[in-house]
Amino acid sequence: MQLYTLGFIKQGSRVLMLNREKAPWMGCWNGVGGKVEQDEKPREAMLREIKEETDIDSKHVSVDYKGLLTWSNEQGNQISGALYLYLLELSEDYRYDHTPVRTDEGILDWKAISWIMHSKNIGVASNISRCLDKVLYDQRCYHHHSTFSEDLLVDHMSKLMHNQTLEELDVIKVIHQGK
């Protein structure tokens, strides 16, 4: 199974979001991230993706591992994908004001947290509002799991991860422990 990273770059009360150009989540606002390459640690992958997609250098962000997000379809219990979640706090003195900006991945723009989390907002990837509050405000790590039926979110759960300090977590072990 291919593993991914997803990071939320926060500065004050806003988050730098990407309106995706391609599937999955084409046309939806989401965090920034991508594939973990072979022999690459998840944190290294996250910092590489941030640099590639935003041109923000790692010296300007603090990086906090926030857990896992897995997903499956409604037809089976088998997890079909997993990503490592990160909160990246951008220092207040760093200026990243040249948004919106079109990139190869989509459109980057700052969005107010209240806008992202609004219950009537259908422009954000559907499982993001279910876990973003914990990513932004809870110091603990969670295993978030989303179940989809055709591309619609039908269930989501968040479970506290007991070994929060283990960033290089064996994802396969978590998957086999069940959702």
Side-chain angles (χ1 to χ4, degrees):
M1 172 188 340
Q2 176 67 57
L3 299 175
Y4 300 88
T5 62
L6 183 64
F8 295 95
I9 304 169
K10 180 179 179 277
Q11 188 176 51
S13 62
R14 61 189 191 159
V15 176
L16 188 60
M17 301 287 283
L18 178 70
N19 189 291
R20 292 190 46 88
E21 183 78 19
K22 305 170 194 155
W25 300 115
M26 184 179 352
C28 291
W29 292 97
N30 206 342
V32 175
K35 293 178 181 177
V36 177
E37 303 295 340
Q38 187 174 357
D39 299 323
E40 187 176 40
K41 290 183 173 20
R43 181 178 291 257
E44 294 168 351
M46 183 76 267
L47 292 173
R48 176 183 51 76
E49 289 288 345
I50 293 298
K51 180 67 174 166
E52 288 175 5
E53 294 183 20
T54 70
D55 203 33
I56 296 173
D57 193 278
S58 63
K59 68 183 177 187
H60 299 293
V61 294
S62 65
V63 182
D64 291 312
Y65 173 64
K66 301 304 286 186
L68 297 170
L69 175 59
T70 57
W71 58 94
S72 62
N73 63 42
E74 193 177 39
Q75 287 72 34
N77 257 353
Q78 186 175 355
I79 290 177
S80 54
L83 56 80
Y84 295 90
L85 285 170
Y86 290 91
L87 173 62
L88 301 105
E89 298 251 15
L90 193 58
S91 59
E92 288 293 330
D93 60 335
Y94 184 79
R95 305 305 314 155
Y96 194 86
D97 292 329
H98 54 281
T99 64
V101 61
R102 186 173 177 78
T103 70
D104 290 342
E105 298 290 326
I107 299 168
L108 281 171
D109 199 8
W110 288 107
K111 297 295 178 186
I113 294 169
S114 59
W115 180 87
I116 299 167
M117 300 298 294
H118 196 283
S119 62
K120 303 277 187 202
N121 188 342
I122 60 171
V124 175
S126 61
N127 55 349
I128 297 306
S129 64
R130 305 291 182 100
C131 63
L132 189 59
D133 195 51
K134 287 180 175 54
V135 170
L136 295 176
Y137 303 116
D138 196 323
Q139 297 301 309
R140 300 170 294 179
C141 293
Y142 288 85
H143 174 201
H144 306 276
H145 182 78
S146 297
T147 304
F148 293 90
S149 177
E150 303 209 5
D151 288 326
L152 298 174
L153 180 67
V154 294
D155 191 34
H156 182 87
M157 69 94 206
S158 297
K159 184 169 127 182
L160 186 62
M161 291 173 60
H162 297 291
N163 194 351
Q164 319 181 70
T165 60
L166 185 59
E167 181 174 343
E168 302 306 325
L169 188 62
D170 182 353
V171 174
I172 303 304
K173 187 175 182 180
V174 168
I175 290 170
H176 288 303
Q177 290 172 354
K179 302 180 281 185

